[in-house]
Amino acid sequence: MSTDLSRLSLNQETIKQWSLPELTEGCVKAGIGQVGLWRAPVQEYGVERAAQLVKDAGLTVTSLCRGGFLTAVDPGERARALEDNRAAVDEAAALSTDTLVLVSGGLPPGDKDLYAARERIADALAELGPYAQERGVRLAIEPLHPMFASDRCVVSTLSQALDLAERFPAEQVGVVVDAYHVWWDDQAPAQIARAGAGGRIHSFQLADWITPLPAGVLLGRGQLGDGSVDFRTMRRQVEATGFDGPIEVEIFNEGLWARDGAEVLAEVASRYLEHAC
Protein backbone atom coordinates (compact mmCIF):
# COMPACT_ATOMS: atom_id res chain seq x y z
CA MET A 1 0.00 0.00 0.00
CA SER A 2 1.20 3.50 -0.84
CA THR A 3 2.43 5.76 1.94
CA ASP A 4 2.37 8.94 -0.14
CA LEU A 5 0.26 11.68 1.49
CA SER A 6 1.71 14.48 -0.62
CA ARG A 7 -1.54 15.11 -2.49
CA LEU A 8 -3.91 14.68 0.44
CA SER A 9 -5.68 17.82 1.59
CA LEU A 10 -7.71 17.80 4.81
CA ASN A 11 -10.89 19.83 4.59
CA GLN A 12 -11.51 21.77 7.79
CA GLU A 13 -15.06 20.44 8.22
CA THR A 14 -13.84 16.85 8.44
CA ILE A 15 -12.49 17.61 11.92
CA LYS A 16 -14.88 20.42 12.80
CA GLN A 17 -14.18 20.00 16.52
CA TRP A 18 -10.69 21.41 16.02
CA SER A 19 -9.91 25.11 16.11
CA LEU A 20 -7.88 26.54 13.26
CA PRO A 21 -4.64 26.44 15.32
CA GLU A 22 -5.38 22.83 16.26
CA LEU A 23 -5.99 22.00 12.61
CA THR A 24 -2.70 23.47 11.47
CA GLU A 25 -0.75 21.85 14.30
CA GLY A 26 -2.40 18.48 13.71
CA CYS A 27 -1.70 18.53 9.98
CA VAL A 28 1.94 19.45 10.49
CA LYS A 29 2.38 16.62 13.00
CA ALA A 30 0.71 14.16 10.63
CA GLY A 31 2.79 15.22 7.63
CA ILE A 32 -0.19 16.60 5.72
CA GLY A 33 0.76 19.80 3.94
CA GLN A 34 -2.57 20.94 2.53
CA VAL A 35 -5.91 22.07 3.95
CA GLY A 36 -9.28 23.20 2.64
CA LEU A 37 -10.84 25.98 4.69
CA TRP A 38 -14.35 27.27 5.36
CA ARG A 39 -15.34 30.90 5.54
CA ALA A 40 -17.18 30.98 8.88
CA PRO A 41 -14.38 29.64 11.11
CA VAL A 42 -11.80 31.64 9.15
CA GLN A 43 -13.83 34.82 9.62
CA GLU A 44 -14.22 34.05 13.32
CA TYR A 45 -10.46 33.64 13.70
CA GLY A 46 -9.73 36.58 11.42
CA VAL A 47 -8.87 36.24 7.74
CA GLU A 48 -5.45 37.88 7.96
CA ARG A 49 -4.57 35.97 11.14
CA ALA A 50 -5.67 32.73 9.50
CA ALA A 51 -3.58 33.46 6.42
CA GLN A 52 -0.52 34.08 8.57
CA LEU A 53 -1.19 31.00 10.69
CA VAL A 54 -1.27 28.58 7.75
CA LYS A 55 1.67 30.32 6.10
CA ASP A 56 3.78 30.04 9.25
CA ALA A 57 2.85 26.35 9.49
CA GLY A 58 4.01 25.79 5.92
CA LEU A 59 0.56 24.68 4.79
CA THR A 60 -1.09 25.27 1.42
CA VAL A 61 -4.77 26.21 1.30
CA THR A 62 -6.28 24.14 -1.53
CA SER A 63 -9.74 25.70 -1.48
CA LEU A 64 -12.07 28.03 0.36
CA CYS A 65 -15.69 27.06 0.82
CA ARG A 66 -18.06 28.51 0.10
CA GLY A 67 -19.42 31.11 -2.21
CA GLY A 68 -22.54 30.77 -4.29
CA PHE A 69 -26.25 30.87 -3.40
CA LEU A 70 -26.87 32.88 -6.53
CA THR A 71 -30.44 31.92 -7.44
CA ALA A 72 -32.48 34.67 -5.74
CA VAL A 73 -35.02 36.56 -7.83
CA ASP A 74 -35.36 39.62 -5.62
CA PRO A 75 -32.95 42.36 -6.81
CA GLY A 76 -31.90 43.25 -3.28
CA GLU A 77 -31.15 39.65 -2.40
CA ARG A 78 -29.20 39.20 -5.62
CA ALA A 79 -27.14 42.31 -4.92
CA ARG A 80 -26.33 41.07 -1.42
CA ALA A 81 -25.35 37.66 -2.79
CA LEU A 82 -22.99 39.22 -5.31
CA GLU A 83 -21.45 41.40 -2.60
CA ASP A 84 -20.94 38.36 -0.36
CA ASN A 85 -19.32 36.41 -3.20
CA ARG A 86 -16.94 39.25 -3.97
CA ALA A 87 -16.00 39.20 -0.28
CA ALA A 88 -15.44 35.44 -0.53
CA VAL A 89 -13.13 35.97 -3.50
CA ASP A 90 -11.17 38.54 -1.51
CA GLU A 91 -10.89 36.10 1.40
CA ALA A 92 -9.65 33.34 -0.91
CA ALA A 93 -7.02 35.68 -2.32
CA ALA A 94 -5.94 36.67 1.19
CA LEU A 95 -5.51 32.98 2.07
CA SER A 96 -3.43 32.45 -1.10
CA THR A 97 -5.78 29.84 -2.50
CA ASP A 98 -6.74 29.93 -6.16
CA THR A 99 -10.05 28.06 -5.70
CA LEU A 100 -13.35 29.31 -4.31
CA VAL A 101 -15.96 26.56 -4.18
CA LEU A 102 -19.47 27.61 -5.20
CA VAL A 103 -22.63 25.93 -3.96
CA SER A 104 -25.04 27.47 -6.41
CA GLY A 105 -28.21 27.74 -4.33
CA GLY A 106 -31.64 26.13 -4.37
CA LEU A 107 -34.99 27.25 -5.66
CA PRO A 108 -36.36 30.46 -4.15
CA PRO A 109 -39.58 30.00 -2.12
CA GLY A 110 -42.50 29.29 -4.41
CA ASP A 111 -40.29 28.93 -7.50
CA LYS A 112 -40.21 25.69 -9.51
CA ASP A 113 -38.21 26.79 -12.56
CA LEU A 114 -34.84 25.04 -12.40
CA TYR A 115 -33.78 26.32 -15.81
CA ALA A 116 -34.37 29.97 -14.85
CA ALA A 117 -32.53 29.46 -11.57
CA ARG A 118 -29.49 28.16 -13.45
CA GLU A 119 -29.65 31.13 -15.80
CA ARG A 120 -29.49 33.46 -12.82
CA ILE A 121 -26.35 31.63 -11.74
CA ALA A 122 -24.86 32.26 -15.18
CA ASP A 123 -25.73 35.95 -14.91
CA ALA A 124 -23.93 36.12 -11.57
CA LEU A 125 -20.89 34.27 -12.91
CA ALA A 126 -20.60 36.82 -15.69
CA GLU A 127 -20.04 39.46 -13.01
CA LEU A 128 -18.01 37.40 -10.57
CA GLY A 129 -15.70 35.59 -13.00
CA PRO A 130 -13.67 38.64 -14.11
CA TYR A 131 -13.56 39.94 -10.52
CA ALA A 132 -12.13 36.62 -9.33
CA GLN A 133 -9.63 36.32 -12.17
CA GLU A 134 -8.22 39.76 -11.41
CA ARG A 135 -7.45 38.46 -7.91
CA GLY A 136 -5.98 35.13 -8.99
CA VAL A 137 -8.99 33.11 -7.89
CA ARG A 138 -10.97 30.54 -9.88
CA LEU A 139 -14.65 29.88 -9.24
CA ALA A 140 -15.39 26.16 -8.91
CA ILE A 141 -19.03 25.14 -9.37
CA GLU A 142 -19.82 22.12 -7.21
CA PRO A 143 -22.72 19.98 -8.39
CA LEU A 144 -24.58 18.48 -5.44
CA HIS A 145 -26.58 15.26 -5.37
CA PRO A 146 -30.14 15.81 -6.65
CA MET A 147 -31.58 15.42 -3.15
CA PHE A 148 -30.27 18.95 -2.52
CA ALA A 149 -31.75 20.53 -5.66
CA SER A 150 -34.70 22.19 -3.97
CA ASP A 151 -33.01 23.96 -1.08
CA ARG A 152 -29.27 24.01 -1.66
CA CYS A 153 -28.08 23.50 -5.23
CA VAL A 154 -29.99 23.45 -8.51
CA VAL A 155 -26.82 22.19 -10.22
CA SER A 156 -27.01 18.42 -9.73
CA THR A 157 -24.63 16.91 -12.30
CA LEU A 158 -21.22 17.60 -13.76
CA SER A 159 -22.91 18.08 -17.11
CA GLN A 160 -25.06 20.90 -15.73
CA ALA A 161 -22.05 22.44 -13.98
CA LEU A 162 -19.98 22.34 -17.16
CA ASP A 163 -22.82 23.79 -19.24
CA LEU A 164 -22.53 26.83 -16.96
CA ALA A 165 -18.75 26.90 -16.62
CA GLU A 166 -18.04 26.59 -20.33
CA ARG A 167 -19.70 29.94 -21.01
CA PHE A 168 -16.66 31.52 -19.38
CA PRO A 169 -12.87 31.14 -19.61
CA ALA A 170 -11.46 28.18 -17.70
CA GLU A 171 -9.25 30.62 -15.79
CA GLN A 172 -12.45 32.08 -14.34
CA VAL A 173 -14.89 29.20 -13.88
CA GLY A 174 -14.49 25.44 -13.52
CA VAL A 175 -16.02 22.62 -11.52
CA VAL A 176 -15.56 20.51 -8.42
CA VAL A 177 -15.52 16.75 -8.88
CA ASP A 178 -16.86 15.57 -5.53
CA ALA A 179 -17.11 11.79 -5.39
CA TYR A 180 -19.91 11.94 -2.82
CA HIS A 181 -22.16 13.93 -5.14
CA VAL A 182 -21.45 12.35 -8.54
CA TRP A 183 -20.56 8.69 -7.90
CA TRP A 184 -24.06 7.52 -8.87
CA ASP A 185 -24.14 9.26 -12.27
CA ASP A 186 -23.37 6.94 -15.21
CA GLN A 187 -22.42 10.04 -17.21
CA ALA A 188 -19.81 11.10 -14.67
CA PRO A 189 -16.82 9.42 -16.39
CA ALA A 190 -17.57 11.17 -19.68
CA GLN A 191 -18.15 14.48 -17.92
CA ILE A 192 -14.91 14.14 -15.95
CA ALA A 193 -13.12 13.67 -19.27
CA ARG A 194 -14.96 16.71 -20.67
CA ALA A 195 -13.99 18.81 -17.66
CA GLY A 196 -10.38 17.72 -17.83
CA ALA A 197 -10.10 18.39 -21.54
CA GLY A 198 -11.15 21.95 -20.92
CA GLY A 199 -8.85 22.46 -17.93
CA ARG A 200 -11.86 22.89 -15.68
CA ILE A 201 -11.27 20.44 -12.83
CA HIS A 202 -10.49 22.97 -10.14
CA SER A 203 -11.06 20.68 -7.15
CA PHE A 204 -11.30 16.93 -6.50
CA GLN A 205 -13.00 15.92 -3.25
CA LEU A 206 -13.71 12.63 -1.50
CA ALA A 207 -16.34 11.40 0.96
CA ASP A 208 -18.21 8.12 1.02
CA TRP A 209 -21.93 7.48 0.46
CA ILE A 210 -23.38 5.59 3.41
CA THR A 211 -26.92 4.45 4.06
CA PRO A 212 -29.29 4.88 5.72
CA LEU A 213 -28.95 8.64 5.48
CA PRO A 214 -29.41 10.57 8.72
CA ALA A 215 -32.28 12.98 9.28
CA GLY A 216 -31.59 16.14 7.33
CA VAL A 217 -29.19 14.20 5.04
CA LEU A 218 -26.54 16.98 5.03
CA LEU A 219 -24.39 15.22 7.63
CA GLY A 220 -24.54 11.85 5.90
CA ARG A 221 -21.06 11.79 4.39
CA GLY A 222 -19.08 8.75 5.43
CA GLN A 223 -15.48 7.98 6.17
CA LEU A 224 -13.64 6.63 3.14
CA GLY A 225 -14.29 2.92 2.77
CA ASP A 226 -17.49 2.85 4.80
CA GLY A 227 -19.85 3.18 1.85
CA SER A 228 -20.50 2.64 -1.83
CA VAL A 229 -18.03 4.88 -3.69
CA ASP A 230 -15.21 3.40 -5.78
CA PHE A 231 -12.62 6.10 -5.09
CA ARG A 232 -9.74 4.40 -6.84
CA THR A 233 -11.62 4.16 -10.13
CA MET A 234 -12.77 7.77 -9.92
CA ARG A 235 -9.24 8.92 -9.16
CA ARG A 236 -8.00 7.10 -12.24
CA GLN A 237 -10.68 8.80 -14.32
CA VAL A 238 -9.73 12.23 -12.99
CA GLU A 239 -6.00 11.68 -13.39
CA ALA A 240 -6.46 10.38 -16.93
CA THR A 241 -7.33 13.97 -17.86
CA GLY A 242 -3.94 15.16 -16.62
CA PHE A 243 -5.16 16.42 -13.27
CA ASP A 244 -2.41 16.13 -10.68
CA GLY A 245 -3.69 18.54 -8.04
CA PRO A 246 -4.70 18.05 -4.42
CA ILE A 247 -7.22 15.42 -3.35
CA GLU A 248 -9.35 16.90 -0.61
CA VAL A 249 -11.18 14.76 1.95
CA GLU A 250 -14.34 16.61 3.02
CA ILE A 251 -16.63 14.70 5.38
CA PHE A 252 -19.61 16.09 7.33
CA ASN A 253 -20.31 13.48 9.98
CA GLU A 254 -21.37 13.99 13.59
CA GLY A 255 -19.81 10.67 14.57
CA LEU A 256 -16.39 11.88 13.42
CA TRP A 257 -16.91 15.25 15.09
CA ALA A 258 -17.55 13.52 18.44
CA ARG A 259 -14.19 11.73 18.37
CA ASP A 260 -10.66 12.82 19.19
CA GLY A 261 -9.39 14.96 16.32
CA ALA A 262 -5.95 13.39 16.09
CA GLU A 263 -7.54 9.94 15.94
CA VAL A 264 -9.84 11.04 13.13
CA LEU A 265 -6.96 12.58 11.20
CA ALA A 266 -4.90 9.40 11.46
CA GLU A 267 -7.89 7.41 10.24
CA VAL A 268 -8.49 9.80 7.33
CA ALA A 269 -4.88 9.39 6.22
CA SER A 270 -5.01 5.61 6.57
CA ARG A 271 -8.32 5.31 4.69
CA TYR A 272 -7.08 7.64 1.95
CA LEU A 273 -4.06 5.45 1.37
CA GLU A 274 -6.14 2.27 1.51
CA HIS A 275 -9.06 3.31 -0.68
CA ALA A 276 -7.94 6.20 -2.90
CA CYS A 277 -4.34 5.42 -3.80
Side-chain angles (χ1 to χ4, degrees):
M1 186 172 70
S2 171
T3 59
D4 183 6
L5 297 174
S6 62
R7 291 179 60 191
L8 174 61
S9 173
L10 179 72
N11 187 279
Q12 186 172 16
E13 286 290 283
T14 303
I15 311 181
K16 189 175 182 178
Q17 62 270 40
W18 265 356
S19 67
L20 192 53
E22 288 172 328
L23 178 75
T24 56
E25 181 181 1
C27 285
V28 169
K29 286 182 178 179
I32 296 171
Q34 303 178 102
V35 292
L37 299 181
W38 277 67
R39 292 182 68 198
V42 166
Q43 289 170 347
E44 182 179 355
Y45 189 79
V47 176
E48 297 301 330
R49 286 182 68 208
Q52 192 63 51
L53 179 70
V54 294
K55 180 180 179 181
D56 290 346
L59 299 177
T60 298
V61 181
T62 55
S63 71
L64 179 65
C65 198
R66 55 179 163 66
F69 288 84
L70 300 166
T71 57
V73 176
D74 177 78
E77 290 183 29
R78 287 186 59 75
R80 286 189 291 274
L82 288 169
E83 181 180 2
D84 182 62
N85 276 269
R86 284 189 286 267
V89 168
D90 293 341
E91 291 162 16
L95 292 165
S96 298
T97 180
D98 64 359
T99 303
L100 175 65
V101 174
L102 302 185
V103 175
S104 298
L107 287 170
D111 192 348
K112 298 183 180 181
D113 192 337
L114 288 166
Y115 177 81
R118 294 186 192 119
E119 285 303 302
R120 290 193 294 275
I121 295 167
D123 291 343
L125 292 172
E127 294 191 42
L128 295 172
Y131 184 89
Q133 185 178 18
E134 289 172 1
R135 288 151 183 81
V137 176
R138 307 174 301 180
L139 306 177
I141 303 170
E142 181 172 14
L144 268 56
H145 188 280
M147 66 183 175
F148 296 112
S150 64
D151 65 340
R152 193 167 294 272
C153 189
V154 298
V155 179
S156 301
T157 65
L158 280 170
S159 176
Q160 292 168 355
L162 286 165
D163 286 347
L164 287 168
E166 287 172 351
R167 302 188 194 189
F168 310 98
E171 297 77 20
Q172 294 182 9
V173 186
V175 299
V176 179
V177 177
D178 187 328
Y180 177 78
H181 289 298
V182 305
W183 72 276
W184 58 274
D185 185 0
D186 62 359
Q187 294 301 309
Q191 298 305 317
I192 288 170
R194 172 186 170 190
R200 294 184 187 272
I201 300 177
H202 292 348
S203 180
F204 180 35
Q205 297 183 336
L206 307 182
D208 218 337
W209 182 277
I210 53 174
T211 48
L213 294 171
V217 304
L218 183 62
L219 306 185
R221 292 175 174 234
Q223 178 62 279
L224 308 189
D226 284 352
S228 304
V229 181
D230 183 350
F231 297 109
R232 194 170 285 113
T233 294
M234 187 169 288
R235 176 173 175 169
R236 285 199 296 266
Q237 292 166 352
V238 170
E239 291 180 343
T241 72
F243 178 86
D244 60 358
I247 302 172
E248 194 171 305
V249 175
E250 181 188 59
I251 305 173
F252 312 151
N253 186 293
E254 289 183 322
L256 294 184
W257 295 342
R259 292 168 53 191
D260 174 74
E263 178 185 284
V264 173
L265 179 54
E267 184 178 275
V268 166
S270 174
R271 296 291 189 93
Y272 166 82
L273 293 171
E274 180 180 358
H275 297 284
C277 291

